Amino acid sequence: QVQLVESGGGLVQPGGSLRLSCAASGSILRIFDMGWYRQAPGKQRELVACITSGGTIKYADSVKGRFTISRDNAENTVYLQMSSLKPEDTAVYSCNVIIATREAVLGINYWGKGTLVTVSS
């Protein structure tokens, strides 16, 4: 089995920073893409940022220059450093990781439970 544990959400003032973490554990053979999605109230879930196993990174236009995604392959962890936060960044942030196990060597999408980020004064 595979588990994803997220941490780092919370309440922050506009212009502030937060760092989200998502650690994968369990019977992992290999980790492929890792990413962060968010869903604001009344809106569809959207991709925030993703990083491939080779280090290729993609950001949503709305977060470019403010958010930084990174990964620690030794720790099976993906991070999202968020700076210059805006009220419109308020959402539930969920990590998404494609993981290969012995039962699924081509990889399966795993989702974290989500962590709430609230940007408000």
Side-chain angles (χ1 to χ4, degrees):
Q1 289 195 358
V2 172
Q3 297 84 36
L4 296 181
V5 178
E6 298 155 329
S7 61
L11 173 64
V12 63
Q13 292 187 340
S17 299
L18 279 177
R19 189 193 196 203
L20 305 183
S21 301
C22 173
S25 62
S27 304
I28 297 170
L29 289 182
R30 182 180 176 183
I31 295 181
F32 299 100
D33 295 0
M34 307 180 85
W36 290 94
Y37 287 73
R38 69 184 180 186
Q39 187 167 20
K43 295 188 177 181
Q44 288 189 330
R45 184 169 59 191
E46 62 173 352
L47 173 69
V48 176
C50 60
I51 180 169
T52 68
S53 56
T56 300
I57 291 173
K58 177 181 178 180
Y59 293 104
D61 288 342
S62 59
V63 307
K64 283 180 181 177
R66 300 189 297 120
F67 290 11
T68 301
I69 189 171
S70 61
R71 61 190 285 169
D72 183 333
N73 292 324
E75 298 293 331
N76 294 336
T77 300
V78 60
Y79 303 96
L80 186 68
Q81 178 67 48
M82 305 183 292
S83 303
S84 301
L85 282 160
K86 305 175 181 180
E88 50 264 42
D89 294 317
T90 295
V92 174
Y93 286 71
S94 302
C95 64
N96 173 256
V97 183
I98 301 175
I99 298 174
T101 63
R102 284 202 297 180
E103 294 76 22
V105 296
L106 296 181
I108 293 179
N109 260 318
Y110 289 89
W111 288 91
K113 292 183 179 180
T115 184
L116 178 63
V117 172
T118 303
V119 185
S120 176
S121 55

